[in-house]
């Protein structure tokens, strides 16, 4: 049986993987994370698009990789803040690594959900949900009516519910 010629994805991968890994390493400063992000980039390409229809491969790959970098740095930031909060806790309240991972994954999901909201909607949602402020207090703080606060809160809650369905 004759060998099949390499497909367009294989060609894309073999021609640009090393370049992408180097590009990521120069931005992240870590070879291991750069390799992981390069692989994640190609997984997204494989899942979302036919490789033979990509006209500017390096531009396309760097756009995907840039979004993955942002997610990576955001996750690192959340993890650092969480670990700092854990370090401030008394030792008797320490939690297991499994629970810590579950909490980090939840915080990352919440952060991604909040990132999908507009600035005002996010501010209203956080003021009501985290600070426990009433609608009138939030409206006064932001200089908007109670009706506007309600509309933004409905928008935020709908956004959350839609993400939960996915």
């Amino acid at each position: 049986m004759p060998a099949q010629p390499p497909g367009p994805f294989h060609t894309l991968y073999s021609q640009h993987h090393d370049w992408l890994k180097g590009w990521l390493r120069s931005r992240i400063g870590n070879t291991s994370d750069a390799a992981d992000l390069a692989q994640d980039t190609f997984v997204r390409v494989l899942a979302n698009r036919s490789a033979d229809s990509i006209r500017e491969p390096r531009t396309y790959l760097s756009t995907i990789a840039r979004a993955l970098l942002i997610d990576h740095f955001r996750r690192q930031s959340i993890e650092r803040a969480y670990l700092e909060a854990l370090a401030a806790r008394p030792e008797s309240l320490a939690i297991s690594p499994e629970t810590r991972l579950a909490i980090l994954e939840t915080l990352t999901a919440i952060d991604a959900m909040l990132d999908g909201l507009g600035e005002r909607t996010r501010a209203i949602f956080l003021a009501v949900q985290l600070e426990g402020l009433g609608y009138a207090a939030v409206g006064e703080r932001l200089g908007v009516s109670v009706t506007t606060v309600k509309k933004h809160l409905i928008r935020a809650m709908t956004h959350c519910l839609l993400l939960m369905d996915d």
Side-chain angles (χ1 to χ4, degrees):
M1 180 185 231
Q4 292 277 22
F9 180 79
H10 179 269
T11 303
L12 177 75
Y13 186 90
S14 63
Q15 289 178 353
H16 299 287
H17 179 262
D18 289 340
W19 167 82
L20 181 62
K21 194 166 61 171
W23 184 87
L24 285 162
R25 188 178 47 249
S26 72
R27 282 154 179 75
I28 204 168
N30 178 316
T31 302
S32 176
D33 288 341
D36 288 345
L37 290 171
Q39 287 302 107
D40 290 346
T41 300
F42 282 101
V43 167
R44 287 213 180 159
V45 171
L46 189 59
N48 294 326
R49 186 162 186 171
S50 172
D52 58 347
S53 67
I54 299 171
R55 292 192 180 132
E56 298 288 333
R58 290 190 176 185
T59 302
Y60 185 72
L61 293 170
S62 63
T63 300
I64 294 171
R66 196 171 284 115
L68 290 171
L69 267 175
I70 290 168
D71 290 345
H72 174 79
F73 287 133
R74 179 178 287 145
R75 181 173 173 85
Q76 279 186 332
S77 174
I78 291 169
E79 188 170 348
R80 265 192 310 277
Y82 177 68
L83 291 174
E84 288 170 8
L86 278 181
R89 293 176 61 162
E91 191 62 35
S92 63
L93 298 176
I95 59 173
S96 71
E98 294 82 13
T99 302
R100 179 178 297 160
L101 179 62
I103 291 170
L104 281 171
E105 288 174 350
T106 302
L107 288 172
T108 301
I110 290 169
D111 182 62
M113 184 276 306
L114 291 174
D115 193 48
L117 298 174
E119 187 175 331
R120 180 177 284 174
T121 303
R122 182 174 45 251
I124 289 170
F125 179 80
L126 291 173
V128 170
Q129 296 298 318
L130 292 182
E131 296 178 48
L133 294 178
Y135 295 176
V138 174
E140 187 176 314
R141 176 191 282 182
L142 298 176
V144 297
S145 69
V146 172
T147 303
T148 299
V149 171
K150 288 179 183 179
K151 286 180 184 177
H152 282 281
L153 201 53
I154 289 169
R155 186 177 298 143
M157 294 295 201
T158 302
H159 182 74
C160 292
L161 289 172
L162 290 173
L163 288 176
M164 287 176 55
D165 286 344
D166 290 343

